[in-house]
Amino acid sequence: MAVSLHRLFSYVLGALVVTAAAHKSAPSVTSTAASSTLTGIAATAPTIGPSHQVGRLPALGWNSWNAYSCNINETKILDAADLFISLGLADAGYEYVNIDDCWPLETRDASTGRIVPDPSKFPSGISGVADQVHALGLKLGIYSDAGTNTCAGFPGSLGNETVDAEAFAEWGVDYLKYDNCNVPSNWTDAATPPDNDWYNSNSAIRYRQMTAALNQTGKPVHFSLCIWGDANVWEWGDRVGHSWRMTGDVSASWSSISSIIAANAQHLDSVDFFSHNDMDMMEIGNGDLTLEEQRTHFAAWAFLKSPILLGTDLNNLNSTQLDIIKNAQLLAFHQDPIVGTPATPFNATASAPSTSPPEFYAGKSSKGTHVFIINTNTTATKTFEFGNVPGLGFGRFRVQDMWTGKNLGTFANKFSITVDTHDTAALLIHRA
Ligand code: GAL
């Protein structure tokens, strides 16, 4: 079993502190309010919540879509799994190997009603791939859709939740990404949801049906809602799944990455244990993002506690890119067993300009207080006052660079650092 010491330690510590770490959301079974005036499907839809045996921390792994789009097969999936081991990604905590759209045949099995893995792409079937992924100590994810068909036109699970959840469980699937394409017109959302709660919207109910079906199988599955920020998902996502997409699809450009950070920064109250805004999959290794932009992409996903699912052919990552995605201090912040909340924007100085996305973020981890500074413009010196960082106050502080582990010195009142164009400074701060 390739379980890293770091992960094992986090797990044990996490189990010890789980009762102490109060979480804002309800336990895994929820019900609609007694005073509810719900009618129709909203009155009878399942209210079972997601399993809390999985999904406490944001997922770390890889997904096939940004790397290969529809052009997938089991060799590529198993190659990614092998590279988790040989590149040290498993030791760094990466565990989910996720198959995206285009894995099945276009029609279900006529007698069982099941979705059928395309035998030309997956000769071992999904269960054969799951066995090999599990043998490496990793977990397997699969993809379906809360509509009649997936975005690429393969069978969707709306109305077939039970038969599909049973198949996924039987095959040994550990993670389900559930997309939002091809929604029939009778499932469209009203302008205002029943009881003014988006949990009762038709969108939420399409996803709740799968939560219930997954629950019935008895196998804990990480449930990832690929709902693109629709239906105010951040308000109800943790009652239905473990993570939820906040936007449309990421692309390998600074404008895409910075706009996703900006969109997500408005809804950070939703992020905690078992409750993760999903900023979409990583583009490190794709397109022509600068090194600094790739560092910001990784750092922001880590300090905002989004799932981090690598999205490139891992064979092509160079050592600088590997150092970014294996950075121990940023991963430790992301996977902190005691603090579930992300870093959030703060006012660095009285005269700090307002930017989109915000440039200055502060948060806690079990190691101390952290400040993250994204430079949204050209190379510049960035300054913040310690007194403006929540929880720090005035005085002298030791500052460490989380990227390098280097001690930057002891400073009074304020701290300044030069940050390159689109780069992110990541700092750990202790009172001196
Ligand atoms: C999109 C989804 C992408 C990818 C794609 C597959 O809706 O946001 O992440 O899964 O479908 O067709």
Side-chain angles (χ1 to χ4, degrees), residues 85-104:
I85 309 298
S86 60
L87 297 176
L89 292 166
D91 283 341
Y94 289 83
E95 64 175 344
Y96 287 103
V97 178
N98 292 352
I99 303 169
D100 207 277
D101 205 348
C102 308
W103 58 269

Side-chain angles (χ1 to χ4, degrees), residues 58-62 94 280 282 298 301-302 306-310 331 334:
L60 273 177
W62 175 89
Y94 289 83
D280 203 359
M282 305 307 285
F298 181 74
W301 269 235
S306 167
I308 295 180
L309 297 171
L310 305 173
L331 286 171
H334 183 252

Side-chain angles (χ1 to χ4, degrees), residues 65 100-101 143 151-152 177 179 181 226 228 245 249 280-281:
W65 185 255
D100 207 277
D101 205 348
Y143 164 99
C151 303
K177 171 176 173 178
D179 215 338
C181 277
C226 183
W228 314 318
R245 279 273 299 279
D249 290 7
D280 203 359
M281 302 166 298

